[in-house]
Amino acid sequence: MYIFKRVSDLQNYLKQKQFEEKKIGFVPTMGALHLGHLTLLNEASLVNDIIVCSIFINPRQFEDTKDLLNYPNPIESDIEKLENLNCTVLFLPDNNEVYPCDHNMLNLDLGKLDKTMEGLHRPGHFKGVVEVVHRLLDIVNPDNLYMGQKDYQQFAIIKHMLKMIQSNVKIIRVPIVREPDGLAMSSRNIRLSIEGRKKASLISTSLLQAKEDANTLNVAAVKENAINFLNTHNIEIDYFEIVDGNTLQTIESFNQSDYVTACTTVRIDGVRLLDNIIIKEIVD
Ligand code: PAF
């Protein structure tokens, strides 16, 4: 695996590969790699000749400097994990490489996309994510971009960004990796108590039930059932929304959209846990 820290070195390498018409798949990360990331890399290895993974802890997507300073950075073990996979290139830039003095802030209107769900809890976060992904895409210029479904809102916002800038990059939504009891894998899960960990499996139960209920019930009833179920188990809900998969706006009827996702974030032991399920997706 090649490790490049400088944009110019990475681009020299990639230019040659592009000249050779190699397909480039890109997996942006902030490191602390877990099975979810590794699945993104595996998915990328299916159709690309070159797989570029970036590790960059993007300060612009943290609202709280304390969170930024506490963000894990196990770079040695991350490199080892990537070396054991089919990763071709690790891009490991510092802040000046990603945001040089002449870097122009991307001022993309996200409309209502970042004013709902996670966006309400983390003001400014998605603007920072869009900024860095846009910049990284500019540097890497891949054919395919791999994003996890786990952060559904992030995926939908990056998809919107690609559309707005008329990019040719294809975005691939990689399914959520789950523990055997259904809990979506996340680096936050280790912060749960034994009791909390048991309870956490009920998040996916509520989502699976919502998908099932959507066959017979209306949106309001599906949502009410899910919320009642989580409440019954004393799970604190930040939100449980049934939204259009592209606009992220709540829908009132399942006929309103061909692409519907149920998204939730709950708190267990004070840990925010995100999960979602695609209820309906009609691909044309
Ligand atoms: O999901 C993440 O790890 C980050 O938000 C991303 C997409 C790498 C941008 O910094």
Side-chain angles (χ1 to χ4, degrees):
M1 182 175 73
Y2 296 94
I3 301 180
F4 295 115
K5 294 192 172 182
R6 307 194 46 169
V7 171
S8 53
D9 293 337
L10 174 71
Q11 286 185 329
N12 282 340
Y13 170 84
L14 290 176
K15 260 189 207 127
Q16 179 58 31
K17 297 297 165 194
Q18 272 148 350
F19 179 72
E20 292 166 16
E21 297 192 355
K22 300 281 189 214
K23 271 223 168 330
I24 298 172
F26 178 44
V27 180
T29 81
M30 297 207 298
L33 303 177
H34 52 70
L35 216 65
H37 296 111
L38 307 188
T39 312
L40 297 178
L41 285 148
N42 266 337
E43 189 73 23
S45 70
L46 299 179
V47 295
N48 299 283
D49 305 301
I50 306 287
I51 298 150
V52 181
C53 172
S54 64
I55 296 184
F56 175 64
I57 302 173
N58 174 35
R60 298 194 184 189
Q61 67 188 78
F62 288 83
E63 319 85 81
D64 187 345
T65 14
K66 217 173 80 208
D67 285 350
L68 172 63
L69 294 173
N70 288 333
Y71 201 83
N73 192 5
I75 192 64
E76 296 305 324
S77 78
D78 281 351
I79 291 177
E80 208 178 301
K81 284 176 189 161
L82 291 172
E83 265 168 349
N84 289 328
L85 287 161
N86 333 19
C87 185
T88 332
V89 173
L90 167 60
F91 180 44
L92 197 57
D94 66 15
N95 204 53
N96 294 332
E97 287 291 309
V98 178
Y99 302 119
C101 315
D102 60 354
H103 171 74
N104 284 328
M105 271 286 285
L106 174 74
N107 235 334
L108 193 76
D109 184 12
L110 295 178
K112 294 181 183 165
L113 288 174
D114 67 339
K115 314 275 179 317
T116 174
M117 302 192 287
E118 283 310 291
L120 296 176
H121 294 265
R122 309 182 68 185
H125 166 73
F126 288 115
K127 287 219 158 54
V129 171
V130 166
E131 181 76 36
V132 77
V133 175
H134 181 263
R135 169 73 179 132
L136 290 169
L137 288 175
D138 211 33
I139 296 170
V140 178
N141 193 15
D143 298 282
N144 298 309
L145 167 68
Y146 294 82
M147 307 284 298
Q149 183 189 322
K150 169 83 184 347
D151 291 305
Y152 188 83
Q153 192 166 7
Q154 168 171 280
F155 160 77
I157 288 178
I158 297 300
K159 189 172 161 197
H160 166 83
M161 182 261 281
L162 293 173
K163 200 167 163 192
M164 295 308 284
I165 62 168
Q166 300 183 329
S167 167
N168 289 326
V169 176
K170 184 174 172 212
I171 183 165
I172 292 102
R173 186 189 75 212
V174 181
I176 300 174
V177 188
R178 297 184 179 278
E179 300 286 354
D181 67 357
L183 176 63
M185 283 197 188
S186 159
S187 44
R188 296 178 185 176
N189 295 350
I190 46 165
R191 286 159 48 194
L192 296 169
S193 64
I194 294 175
E195 219 26 60
R197 173 62 191 82
K198 268 193 210 146
K199 242 191 207 181
S201 70
L202 299 173
I203 309 166
S204 64
T205 313
S206 74
L207 289 164
L208 283 168
Q209 187 60 46
K211 185 167 176 144
E212 174 89 29
D213 284 351
N215 292 321
T216 49
L217 301 178
N218 64 27
V219 173
V222 170
K223 192 171 156 176
E224 194 182 320
N225 272 355
I227 291 176
N228 284 344
F229 174 81
L230 293 167
N231 280 339
T232 313
H233 292 90
N234 293 319
I235 295 177
E236 192 188 333
I237 306 167
D238 271 2
Y239 58 84
F240 189 106
E241 298 293 359
I242 297 178
V243 299
D244 176 281
N246 288 317
T247 66
L248 300 179
Q249 301 310 295
T250 51
I251 54 162
E252 258 139 51
S253 148
F254 287 113
N255 295 331
Q256 215 176 307
S257 169
D258 284 344
Y259 182 21
V260 178
T261 307
C263 299
T264 188
T265 292
V266 305
R267 287 174 202 250
I268 296 178
D269 297 334
V271 183
R272 291 188 81 235
L273 299 169
L274 284 74
D275 203 350
N276 64 76
I277 198 165
I278 312 288
I279 289 195
K280 153 165 124 172
E281 185 174 22
I282 300 174
V283 190
D284 48 28

